[in-house]
Amino acid sequence: MTLLGRARSVLSSGGVRGLVSSGLAFLHHHPLVVRALARGRLAYYRTIGPYDALADPFALISVDPNEITMANRSIDKYLSTGAVRGGEWDRRTNPYDESIKHRSVEQRYVDGKEWTETDVYEKLCRRIDEEGEADGCFSRTDLERRYERIDRLYESIRDDGYDPTKRYEGTDSRIASSLDQVCVSVGRDGELVFCGGGNHRLSIAKVLELDSIPVRVVVRHDRWQRRRDRIARGEETETSPHPDLRDVCSR
């Protein structure tokens, strides 16, 4: 769909409010914007930062989905790409499996409920009624189409495996970004903290008990990055490399 066609579609579905929301989301998620910011951040770190083992901010690493147990959704999964941060952000987390979206995926694919019977459905319906939009859906019809796409996604992963190269139109119909992957950040001790993107894919992978999935690392804690540096310099060794240490252990 062309940009003009997408704008017309959103305008007819969500009105002016939807068009404005879509425009902001398009700019915020646009790969050119995100990549430019991340490359600038990387250049800054390499010029004046103390880090030796900076990772490609757009590389995917393979992780066990069941190792992703906590979430911090305050991290911007796009505009924070490639950041190294200290502080307590990796401690301000909530259990991922208690999230309403994960519970609803379990209700749908484990308990066999219809989407309309899940916890998340009524919540999104209320948001649409009260705010005019929820996760890129501007009507209940949009919501129904969204869950039809998720059912197809589930069937695809179940039957053919998880393939990050497959074109996937995000559940948020306002955007279609090549950076739309399951996103994690890495805490000070190597904790994999979910930070948005691919909620349903991650939950489906957990439900299907997949051994591994590809994820994009958004932020690394300063302490973790310094550990990467020590390993890269040969000052520390790893006998069983963490997924985010494999690149530096192989140097």
Side-chain angles (χ1 to χ4, degrees):
M1 182 184 293
T2 66
L3 184 60
L4 180 59
R6 183 179 293 275
R8 286 173 174 166
S9 175
V10 172
L11 183 61
S12 64
S13 180
V16 174
R17 179 189 291 181
L19 187 61
V20 171
S21 174
S22 295
L24 293 174
F26 178 79
L27 291 174
H28 182 268
H29 298 76
H30 199 285
L32 291 179
V33 174
V34 177
R35 289 181 185 276
L37 288 172
R39 296 301 183 193
R41 182 177 285 124
L42 190 62
Y44 172 81
Y45 289 148
R46 284 174 173 166
T47 302
I48 69 170
Y51 309 119
D52 300 323
L54 293 163
D56 179 347
F58 303 106
L60 300 180
I61 64 173
S62 294
V63 306
D64 181 342
N66 289 314
E67 293 296 318
I68 305 173
T69 60
M70 305 303 288
N72 180 336
R73 290 177 172 80
S74 67
I75 296 172
D76 191 309
K77 63 188 177 184
Y78 292 106
L79 301 186
S80 294
T81 295
V84 177
R85 294 178 182 167
E88 297 297 313
W89 61 264
D90 59 333
R91 297 291 188 255
R92 295 192 292 269
T93 58
N94 297 298
Y96 176 82
D97 289 359
E98 294 179 7
S99 68
I100 189 170
K101 287 186 178 180
H102 182 74
R103 291 202 314 269
S104 295
V105 166
E106 288 186 321
Q107 289 168 347
R108 172 63 173 153
Y109 300 120
V110 177
D111 301 336
K113 293 185 178 181
E114 297 296 324
W115 280 112
T116 52
E117 301 175 291
T118 63
D119 296 342
V120 73
Y121 187 86
E122 281 307 313
K123 179 181 178 180
L124 293 180
C125 284
R126 286 196 302 272
R127 281 182 54 194
I128 291 171
D129 294 341
E130 295 169 4
E131 304 172 22
E133 182 269 333
D135 286 2
C137 297
F138 304 100
S139 67
R140 297 195 179 215
T141 299
D142 285 348
L143 200 57
E144 290 168 4
R145 290 172 180 164
R146 172 188 189 179
Y147 286 117
E148 288 173 359
R149 291 197 300 271
I150 293 173
D151 281 342
R152 291 196 295 270
L153 172 67
Y154 172 82
E155 292 167 1
S156 174
I157 295 175
R158 181 195 62 197
D159 297 341
D160 304 321
Y162 193 114
D163 183 356
T165 65
K166 281 188 176 180
R167 182 163 179 78
Y168 171 65
E169 292 293 335
T171 53
D172 185 339
S173 60
R174 298 171 296 176
I175 62 169
S177 171
S178 61
L179 301 176
D180 182 32
Q181 302 286 344
V182 174
C183 293
V184 302
S185 291
V186 185
R188 68 192 72 193
D189 296 318
E191 312 94 310
L192 298 174
V193 180
F194 178 76
C195 59
N199 278 275
H200 294 99
R201 279 165 282 173
L202 175 55
S203 293
I204 287 170
K206 285 174 173 280
V207 164
L208 291 174
E209 300 181 343
L210 300 187
D211 292 331
S212 67
I213 61 169
V215 301
R216 185 167 66 84
V217 177
V218 178
V219 176
R220 290 174 175 85
H221 197 281
D222 172 74
R223 295 186 190 177
W224 179 254
Q225 180 60 48
R226 291 178 186 276
R227 184 178 180 189
R228 284 175 53 89
D229 294 345
R230 291 193 301 273
I231 293 172
R233 293 194 297 264
E235 299 170 2
E236 186 176 322
T237 58
E238 280 287 320
T239 56
S240 180
H242 182 283
D244 192 48
L245 294 177
R246 292 179 188 133
D247 60 328
V248 290
C249 288
S250 63
R251 292 185 182 182

